């Protein structure tokens, strides 16, 4: 894409970008900021149908949690090398947790990379790209501490109706399987007034659902000296007019206190959903993981939540095959799964994270044993998920209409939405038009392990300001002229906000 100088009456050259995201919600939200920074600098997002290597700038926002994270990155970088050789103006940037960890190694292994930046200085990306272009050499800049809270950066939100809102960055835990604290740093909390101001601004733009985001979200307040700060924040969100749904991810059992449960139960717009990472049901393994709770404490939290919020959907993360895990230890995990009756579990086979204490532990479990245990766990959880979903049949639910979450919606003439407890429901398309962000009332008629169906007629449709925002954003994208003046951000139809979950298994 190129053109003449604007002063000559033609369209200026427009540079396109692509951001590829790996890992947890923190990375997803960071990628929204990277997109916002690039658009503020005059780039536009590459078209969705663009081929690999066609964007002028490709940014990898990496994750270092899984054992093969670096192999995945270098494989992708390798595929881009010949494309970049054919297009001298193309640039490649690598950021995120793996960049923070590997630093100069990335440029040594992939010398065609132009920029390497860390988790603490994502705001420098446009400057580093320009410096690499002018100096014609790779720029590696890794900050050791947070330079500015990332929420002060421009953001290109992926959804017109739902948004992530960071309340803290970093983590003070020392779990032996997790490298995140070493890469993200110690927990740093954002001022409550700044958080609420961002939420209010989002609501004014049409957002009706927010997810409060932190590496250990319910430890919020430890940095500002208020142990009840998180429950107070939840209650404050309940006073914001127009904010219909509040979620949060991910909490830690150690910090999950009764005041948070009370705030969830007593604040109408805080949704009846909780993601509570378990990791293991064995006290022995939990101790080896350096998780500061035990089975009894964990099940006690679940019991209190269910007593206060009977319809709450509780999800979790579980790691199978941690070093030293015996068959008896694994049976304890199965016991907790049966007792807790999770709506869904994000299950992971343990893999070594370079730089973590667990990677050096004795008693590494053979792959075939881990695989067999994993399959048993998945089978049990599938059975429980289906049984819990069957309890939803006959219930009348209000769904927020979602975009892109039903892969078969076109063929089945259905739409999809999220229930208050975050369950995915596919429903019959009503006669009147509905938009993502609008709210429909349906009756559940069928349950599968991972979704529900509402096959009868929609009982009610409520058009919302969030739907208006989606419609406005989509219309603006459709009306965009073929030539885009340099400096104007691209406005595109939003992609769905991923369902709140820990995602990477490190919480």
């Amino acid at each position: 894409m190129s053109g003449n100088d604007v002063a000559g009456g033609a369209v200026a050259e427009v540079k396109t970008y692509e951001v590829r995201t790996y890992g947890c919600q923190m990375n997803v939200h960071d990628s929204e900021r990277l997109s916002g920074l690039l658009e503020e600098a005059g780039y536009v997002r590459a078209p969705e149908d663009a081929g690999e290597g066609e964007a002028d700038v490709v940014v990898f926002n990496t994750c270092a949690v899984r054992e093969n994270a670096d192999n995945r990155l270098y494989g992708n970088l390798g595929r881009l090398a010949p494309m970049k050789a054919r297009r001298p103006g193309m640039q490649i940037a690598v950021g995120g947790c793996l960049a923070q960890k590997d630093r100069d190694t990335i440029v040594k292994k992939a010398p065609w990379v132009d920029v390497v930046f860390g988790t603490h200085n994502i705001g420098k990306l446009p400057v580093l790209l320009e410096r690499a272009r002018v100096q014609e050499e790779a720029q590696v800049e890794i900050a050791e501490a947070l330079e500015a809270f990332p929420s002060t950066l421009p953001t290109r939100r992926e959804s017109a109706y739902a948004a992530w809102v960071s309340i803290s960055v970093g983590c003070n835990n020392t779990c032996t399987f997790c490298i995140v604290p070493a890469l993200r740093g110690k927990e740093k909390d954002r001022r409550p007034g700044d958080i609420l101001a961002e939420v209010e601004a989002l609501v004014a733009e049409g957002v009706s659902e927010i997810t409060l985001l932190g590496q250990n979200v319910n430890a919020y307040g430890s940095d500002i000296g208020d142990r009840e700060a998180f429950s107070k924040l939840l209650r404050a969100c309940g006073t914001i007019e127009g904010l219909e749904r509040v979620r949060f991810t991910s909490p830690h059992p150690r910090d999950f206190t009764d005041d948070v449960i009370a705030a969830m139960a007593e604040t109408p717009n805080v949704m009846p959903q909780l993601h509570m990472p378990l990791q293991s049901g064995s006290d022995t393994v939990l101790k080896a993981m350096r998780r500061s709770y035990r089975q009894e404490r964990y099940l006690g939290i679940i019991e209190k939540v269910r007593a206060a919020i009977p319809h709450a959907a509780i999800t979790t993360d579980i790691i199978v095959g941690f070093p030293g895990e015996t068959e008896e230890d694994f049976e304890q995990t199965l016991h907790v799964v049966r007792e807790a009756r999770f709506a869904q579990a994000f299950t992971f086979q343990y893999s070594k994270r370079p730089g973590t204490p667990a990677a050096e532990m004795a008693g590494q479990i053979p792959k075939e044993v881990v695989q067999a245990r994993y399959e048993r766990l998945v089978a049990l959880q599938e059975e429980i998920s289906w049984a819990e979903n069957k309890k939803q049949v006959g219930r009348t639910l209000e769904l927020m209409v979602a975009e892109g979450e039903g892969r078969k919606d076109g063929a089945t003439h259905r739409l999809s939405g999220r229930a208050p407890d975050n369950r995915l429901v596919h429903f019959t398309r009503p006669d009147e038009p509905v938009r993502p962000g609008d709210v429909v009332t349906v009756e559940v008629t069928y349950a599968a392990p991972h979704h529900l169906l509402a096959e009868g007629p929609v009982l009610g449709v409520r058009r919302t300001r969030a739907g208006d925002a989606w419609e406005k954003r989509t219309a603006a994208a459709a009306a965009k002229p073929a030539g885009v003046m340099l400096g104007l951000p691209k406005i595109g139809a939003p992609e769905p906000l991923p369902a709140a979950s820990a995602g990477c298994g490190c919480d």
Side-chain angles (χ1 to χ4, degrees):
M1 297 177 66
S2 64
N4 299 322
D5 189 4
V6 177
V11 176
E13 180 182 10
V14 176
K15 290 189 177 295
T16 59
Y17 76 89
E18 174 191 357
V19 179
R20 302 187 190 181
T21 308
Y22 307 101
C24 64
Q25 289 88 345
M26 195 68 73
N27 272 18
V28 173
H29 192 25
D30 281 349
S31 289
E32 291 185 326
R33 297 187 182 108
L34 292 170
S35 297
L37 284 160
L38 290 170
E39 294 191 0
E40 186 178 66
Y43 296 85
V44 298
R45 177 172 286 190
E48 290 185 10
D49 57 357
E52 185 175 32
E54 290 187 16
D56 296 303
V57 172
V58 179
V59 182
F60 291 89
N61 189 10
T62 63
C63 172
V65 167
R66 311 308 290 172
E67 183 179 13
N68 63 351
D70 54 350
N71 294 333
R72 187 178 184 188
L73 171 65
Y74 294 122
N76 288 326
L77 291 176
R79 284 201 304 274
L80 287 180
M83 303 173 192
K84 188 173 189 293
R86 292 192 297 268
R87 298 181 57 207
M90 180 183 178
Q91 290 187 295
I92 299 172
V94 179
C97 289
L98 192 63
Q100 187 81 20
K101 181 173 78 74
D102 284 356
R103 306 176 184 232
D104 296 335
T105 307
I106 293 172
V107 174
K108 290 177 184 176
K109 288 189 174 182
W112 54 93
V113 169
D114 298 276
V115 171
V116 179
F117 62 102
T119 59
H120 298 311
N121 62 332
I122 64 175
K124 291 289 187 65
L125 176 60
V127 172
L128 293 172
L129 287 169
E130 183 61 23
R131 192 186 300 163
R133 186 180 293 114
V134 172
Q135 297 182 6
E136 298 184 342
E137 64 179 13
Q139 302 296 308
V140 179
E141 189 168 309
I142 306 290
E144 295 300 332
L146 192 67
E147 296 182 345
F149 203 92
S151 288
T152 62
L153 300 173
T155 302
R156 184 197 192 278
R157 303 277 177 181
E158 292 300 327
S159 171
Y161 52 89
W164 306 107
V165 175
S166 286
I167 68 170
S168 64
V169 293
C171 181
N172 293 337
N173 294 317
T174 57
C175 301
T176 54
F177 57 81
C178 184
I179 198 169
V180 168
L183 303 179
R184 292 271 180 184
K186 292 292 186 181
E187 180 178 326
K188 186 169 181 59
D189 293 337
R190 202 170 162 204
R191 289 182 60 253
D194 292 341
I195 297 169
L196 295 171
E198 181 180 356
V199 173
E200 289 170 350
L202 288 167
V203 172
E205 294 171 5
V207 168
S208 61
E209 175 179 312
I210 61 133
T211 300
L212 302 175
L213 186 63
Q215 216 73 51
N216 180 6
V217 70
N218 60 313
Y220 176 74
S222 62
D223 183 48
I224 56 179
D226 184 355
R227 294 193 60 82
E228 294 190 355
F230 186 59
S231 62
K232 292 175 183 176
L233 183 62
L234 291 177
R235 292 183 187 276
C237 287
T239 67
I240 297 175
E241 186 176 353
L243 180 58
E244 298 195 17
R245 295 186 171 191
V246 177
R247 306 186 191 277
F248 58 88
T249 193
S250 287
H252 190 292
R254 181 194 68 184
D255 302 299
F256 204 80
T257 48
D258 291 349
D259 60 299
V260 173
I261 297 173
M264 291 177 65
E266 296 165 11
T267 310
N269 64 356
V270 175
M271 293 294 95
Q273 171 218 345
L274 176 64
H275 185 82
M276 180 66 73
L278 169 65
Q279 307 305 6
S280 174
S282 162
D283 288 354
T284 301
V285 174
L286 287 171
K287 183 178 180 181
M289 288 179 167
R290 214 176 288 157
R291 302 286 284 181
S292 48
Y293 57 88
R294 299 295 178 258
Q295 180 188 120
E296 183 178 4
R297 158 78 171 151
Y298 186 93
L299 288 174
I301 292 171
I302 302 301
E303 184 178 357
K304 287 181 179 180
V305 170
R306 289 247 161 83
I309 315 166
H311 288 299
I314 301 174
T315 57
T316 196
D317 293 332
I318 300 173
I319 297 173
V320 177
F322 187 80
E325 180 187 73
T326 64
E327 179 63 24
E328 183 180 354
D329 292 326
F330 178 66
E331 286 291 344
Q332 289 299 306
T333 296
L334 297 181
H335 169 71
V336 175
V337 169
R338 294 187 188 99
E339 290 293 309
R341 302 199 63 80
F342 300 114
Q344 188 176 3
F346 298 85
T347 51
F348 304 87
Q349 296 185 42
Y350 172 77
S351 62
K352 290 183 180 181
R353 280 84 158 175
T356 63
E360 307 300 324
M361 286 182 176
Q364 302 285 330
I365 311 297
K367 173 66 178 175
E368 60 273 17
V369 175
V370 178
Q371 180 68 33
R373 289 176 183 171
Y374 176 80
E375 290 173 1
R376 288 163 59 195
L377 173 62
V378 168
L380 174 62
Q381 182 56 51
E382 287 277 300
E383 177 186 320
I384 292 171
S385 294
W386 199 357
E388 291 301 306
N389 274 359
K390 286 177 181 177
K391 296 177 182 177
Q392 305 297 311
V393 174
R395 288 190 66 194
T396 299
L397 302 175
E398 275 200 339
L399 311 179
M400 181 177 290
V401 181
E403 181 178 39
E405 296 218 44
R407 288 175 295 175
K408 300 179 182 178
D409 283 354
T412 58
H413 199 63
R414 292 179 180 134
L415 295 174
S416 300
R418 291 279 173 180
D421 64 10
N422 212 38
R423 282 183 165 94
L424 179 63
V425 184
H426 306 301
F427 61 95
T428 302
R429 188 185 297 267
D431 294 333
E432 61 183 296
V434 293
R435 309 155 302 177
D438 285 341
V439 174
V440 298
T441 304
V442 302
E443 181 180 328
V444 178
T445 58
Y446 175 81
H450 302 291
H451 68 268
L452 303 171
L453 292 182
E455 299 164 300
V458 169
L459 304 178
V461 174
R462 176 165 60 85
R463 292 173 70 85
T464 65
R465 291 171 60 253
D468 294 342
W470 179 90
E471 188 170 24
K472 180 180 178 181
R473 183 169 171 173
T474 305
K480 184 184 69 176
V484 181
M485 304 300 282
L486 189 63
L488 286 180
K490 173 185 174 185
I491 303 175
E495 298 172 8
L497 189 70
S501 71
C504 67
C506 62
D507 299 277

